[in-house]
Amino acid sequence: MTLRQVIAAFLLAAALAVSAVPRAQAHPHVWVTMKSELVYDQDGRLAALKQAWTFDDAFTAFALQGMDKRKDGTYGDDVLKPLAEVNVTSLKEYNYFVTGKTATAKLAFKDPVDYYLTYENELLTLHFTLPLEKPTPAKGNISVEIYDPTVFVSFAFAEKEPVRLLSAPAGCTQQVVSPEPPQSSQLSEAFFSQLTSASTYGAQFADKITVKCP
């Protein structure tokens, strides 16, 4: 399998080419365990969201099929960099599976920076940072939701330290809410095939972070 074919497979498995490739018969297809960091600037404003998404073992094996390992059992930048590039570029249509809001407005994110893939314990992890277009004052409530509107990818927070607040003002607290997983077997494939990046169905399965600051 060539690198081009691996990248195409990576897009399919991550639902990044939904409109171009037929899907399998069950949803979700890919499982992601995630950790999130909310990053505050020196003025105490929310400035960025850092994500670390660890893919399941089946997807990891599929994405790396045919790629050469190094002698130490890892993969080099010649493998991981192109996959990371295609992944984050193609996620733009889906707003990187992230939405956010304050009590009065939606959060607007820029395109990812500092993105890369790591391979550890036979699993791929995608790391990336979403800067806010305009840093947001911490005071009050800020909420962030992570979900795939097409339910192709299922997200779940890591059990240990799922969310961290970096340089947040004193007194800020956080709460993490995880939904019940989708019972997709009750729905037909025709239903899922009609879902797009603009669909709202997946929002009911969103993992939510709420931060309250005095």
Side-chain angles (χ1 to χ4, degrees):
M1 180 177 286
T2 67
L3 179 59
R4 182 180 296 274
Q5 289 171 322
V6 171
I7 290 174
F10 195 81
L11 291 172
L12 168 61
L16 306 179
V18 173
S19 62
V21 185
R23 306 185 209 177
Q25 294 301 312
H27 284 70
H29 298 271
V30 180
W31 286 262
V32 170
T33 301
M34 60 182 172
K35 290 189 174 184
S36 300
E37 295 180 334
L38 283 76
V39 183
Y40 293 78
D41 65 16
Q42 60 184 5
D43 296 319
R45 301 174 301 177
L46 179 63
L49 176 69
K50 286 187 175 183
Q51 294 284 70
W53 295 351
T54 299
F55 298 99
D56 63 85
D57 53 355
F59 169 71
T60 295
F62 182 71
L64 293 171
Q65 182 179 357
M67 308 307 292
D68 292 329
K69 283 185 177 181
R70 298 188 296 195
K71 291 183 179 180
D72 61 1
T74 62
Y75 292 90
D77 287 345
D78 59 322
V79 173
L80 300 180
K81 278 189 174 181
L83 291 180
E85 174 74 25
V86 173
N87 199 358
V88 297
T89 299
S90 301
L91 279 169
K92 184 171 184 176
E93 177 186 352
Y94 295 86
N95 295 317
Y96 310 102
F97 296 146
V98 173
T99 64
K101 63 182 180 180
T102 66
T104 58
K106 291 184 178 180
L107 299 181
F109 294 96
K110 297 180 181 179
D111 291 338
V113 297
D114 301 330
Y115 53 84
Y116 59 96
L117 277 166
T118 56
Y119 180 76
E120 187 176 358
N121 298 323
E122 299 187 349
L123 298 175
L124 280 172
T125 299
L126 175 67
H127 307 260
F128 63 97
T129 298
L130 290 174
L132 269 71
E133 289 188 359
K134 182 179 180 181
T136 300
K139 186 175 181 178
N141 292 2
I142 294 176
S143 63
V144 175
E145 297 187 355
I146 301 101
Y147 67 94
D148 176 5
T150 69
V151 201
F152 196 98
V153 181
S154 176
F155 291 95
F157 282 116
E159 292 184 3
K160 297 181 65 176
E161 292 190 325
V163 177
R164 296 176 61 202
L165 306 181
L166 302 184
S167 301
C172 291
T173 60
Q174 67 186 54
Q175 181 181 16
V176 174
V177 177
S178 296
E180 291 295 323
Q183 301 298 317
S184 58
S185 60
Q186 300 175 4
L187 301 171
S188 69
E189 182 62 21
F191 171 82
F192 287 105
S193 67
Q194 296 176 6
L195 297 179
T196 69
S197 58
S199 299
T200 59
Y201 177 77
Q204 65 186 302
F205 306 114
D207 289 271
K208 301 178 182 179
I209 305 166
T210 301
V211 180
K212 297 180 179 180
C213 294

